[in-house]
Amino acid sequence: MSVKETQNPSASGTRWTAHHRQAPDAGATEPPVTPEVSSSTLRHSNSPARTWISRHLNRGWRALGTLFSFTLFGCGGLVIGLLAAPMLNVLYREPRKRQHTARRLIAFSFRGFLMLMRGLGVLEYRLSHVSRLKRPGQLILANHPSLIDVIFLLAYTPNADCVVKGKLATNPFTRGPVRAAGYITNQDPQDVLEAAGHSLAQGHSLILFPEGTRTTPQRPIKFRRGGANIALRIGTPITPVLILCAPPTLSKEHPWYHVPARKVEIELHVLDDIPLPTDKQQPMAQTARRLTHQLSDYFNQELEQRRHERNPRPVA
């Protein structure tokens, strides 16, 4: 008898089997040996077809998950506008308390929305140094690669104010939350400066996307001077937030129903504060222009570095 060790690929450990061989009778012939086909061979024999089916099923599921998530998001906006906001008007006579409560409700809802999208497999996200957003009275400047960037920032920044597009104040799905929270609309630049200064003076944090619109994928970031003007006039340091989104999604070139081939991964990095220029001799407009260029260069360099860390170039 000879003992041979064989390992079953589908088992967790090693299986030992004994093969008994007897001397063949004279003149007898041994039956032909049939090669053993392992279960792993059968499992991987049609792997290309399985991979193709699995990939398309996953993409279809993420499309349904995206549709469900944004449908729920719109319904949530209607509920806040039609039910929650009137209730807050009754419960809180003071506008400041009413807005603070509305912002807490929105932050809680947005965190639940992000957890839902992660649970459905629509996206995955990673937050770095997000505790820095809990400090009051800070000016938060972020790049804007996707539509849901503001959801991340409002979800994790307590009592945050935000500069939003004017059309969001009239959209039936967003006007309720925008008005209840008292967010600032960007219809008049001068009004934005005054409202931003008033908000920061009250200890609120202010979220601003200095690009003015969503980033075009594969193009450098180019900030406008609004963020620099607010920082210089108010005299508050800048808290930069770097947002990475791969593959690109929910940009101006990628509507929500264009589901990427693989799951979206979003990274949000809260970086060290950027101090303001100390030179008071230069005119405000010139200082703001120079600070805007510095901020654009800083964000582009950080983005390039983070992308290189995620996808290092192969060594030749």
Side-chain angles (χ1 to χ4, degrees), residues 260-280:
R262 62 181 177 88
K263 184 191 296 187
V264 174
E265 297 180 4
I266 294 179
E267 295 183 15
L268 189 144
H269 302 274
V270 185
L271 308 178
D272 294 331
D273 288 353
I274 299 176
L276 298 181
T278 56
D279 186 8
K280 304 296 184 180

Side-chain angles (χ1 to χ4, degrees), residues 74 78 139 179 181 198 205 209 239 290 292:
L78 290 175
L139 177 61
R179 293 178 181 179
H198 180 69
S205 292
F209 297 101
T239 301
R290 185 172 66 252
T292 300

Side-chain angles (χ1 to χ4, degrees), residues 1 46 49 56 59 62 72-73 83 92 113 116 134 150 164 167 178-180 184-185 188 204 229 234 241 282 286-287:
M1 180 179 73
N46 59 346
H56 283 73
R59 192 171 187 175
R62 286 186 288 109
L72 191 62
F73 182 86
L83 297 179
Y92 300 97
F113 175 74
L116 172 68
K134 299 183 183 298
V150 67
V164 300
K167 65 181 181 180
V178 168
R179 293 178 181 179
I184 303 170
T185 58
D188 189 336
H204 305 161
N229 280 325
I234 308 304
V241 177
Q282 298 292 334
Q286 184 175 346
T287 304

Side-chain angles (χ1 to χ4, degrees), residues 86-94:
M87 291 179 61
L88 292 177
N89 289 333
V90 174
L91 295 174
Y92 300 97
R93 295 296 182 182
E94 186 180 348

Side-chain angles (χ1 to χ4, degrees), residues 217-239:
Q218 308 303 323
R219 288 189 182 181
I221 290 175
K222 187 176 182 180
F223 285 168
R224 299 180 181 178
R225 279 183 284 175
N229 280 325
I230 293 175
L232 292 173
R233 295 196 181 194
I234 308 304
T236 180
I238 296 171
T239 301

Side-chain angles (χ1 to χ4, degrees), residues 20-298:
H20 299 271
R21 285 188 181 178
Q22 297 179 351
D25 296 335
T29 59
E30 292 190 15
V33 178
T34 303
E36 183 178 349
V37 180
S38 65
S39 59
S40 62
T41 303
L42 292 174
R43 185 166 60 251
H44 294 294
S45 61
N46 59 346
S47 57
R50 285 178 178 270
T51 301
W52 186 89
I53 294 174
S54 176
R55 184 171 63 249
H56 283 73
L57 285 177
N58 178 267
R59 192 171 187 175
W61 170 257
R62 286 186 288 109
L64 291 176
T66 303
L67 175 61
F68 176 76
S69 299
F70 280 97
T71 300
L72 191 62
F73 182 86
C75 293
L78 290 175
V79 170
I80 291 177
L82 298 177
L83 297 179
M87 291 179 61
L88 292 177
N89 289 333
V90 174
L91 295 174
Y92 300 97
R93 295 296 182 182
E94 186 180 348
R96 188 172 180 178
K97 289 185 178 180
R98 186 166 60 244
Q99 289 179 357
H100 181 69
T101 305
R103 291 173 184 178
R104 291 180 60 185
L105 174 62
I106 291 171
F108 177 80
S109 302
F110 282 179
R111 285 196 295 270
F113 175 74
L114 294 173
M115 292 174 62
L116 172 68
M117 296 189 77
R118 170 185 271 177
L120 292 174
V122 174
L123 57 81
E124 188 59 53
Y125 56 88
R126 184 164 64 91
L127 310 176
S128 174
H129 300 294
V130 73
S131 60
R132 295 175 179 174
L133 297 177
K134 299 183 183 298
R135 299 170 296 170
Q138 55 185 329
L139 177 61
I140 300 170
L141 302 186
N143 61 310
H144 199 8
S146 75
L147 186 64
I148 59 175
D149 302 329
V150 67
I151 295 178
F152 279 97
L153 293 174
L154 289 175
Y156 292 98
T157 307
N159 198 22
D161 206 343
C162 184
V163 179
V164 300
K165 291 185 176 181
K167 65 181 181 180
L168 294 179
T170 58
N171 186 299
F173 297 103
T174 57
R175 65 185 178 190
V178 168
R179 293 178 181 179
Y183 294 143
I184 303 170
T185 58
N186 63 354
Q187 293 175 338
D188 189 336
Q190 187 60 37
D191 290 344
V192 170
L193 288 174
E194 295 178 2
H198 180 69
S199 180
L200 290 169
Q202 290 183 325
H204 305 161
S205 292
L206 179 64
I207 297 171
L208 179 65
F209 297 101
E211 293 171 273
T213 186
R214 279 168 281 173
T215 311
T216 301
Q218 308 303 323
R219 288 189 182 181
I221 290 175
K222 187 176 182 180
F223 285 168
R224 299 180 181 178
R225 279 183 284 175
N229 280 325
I230 293 175
L232 292 173
R233 295 196 181 194
I234 308 304
T236 180
I238 296 171
T239 301
V241 177
L242 190 72
I243 304 175
L244 292 88
C245 178
T249 187
L250 299 175
S251 64
K252 296 184 71 173
E253 293 78 14
H254 301 86
W256 69 267
Y257 50 83
H258 286 183
V259 179
R262 62 181 177 88
K263 184 191 296 187
V264 174
E265 297 180 4
I266 294 179
E267 295 183 15
L268 189 144
H269 302 274
V270 185
L271 308 178
D272 294 331
D273 288 353
I274 299 176
L276 298 181
T278 56
D279 186 8
K280 304 296 184 180
Q281 303 299 323
Q282 298 292 334
M284 178 73 71
Q286 184 175 346
T287 304
R289 189 181 303 110
R290 185 172 66 252
L291 178 58
T292 300
H293 288 313
Q294 292 173 352
L295 288 171
S296 299
D297 293 341
Y298 176 74

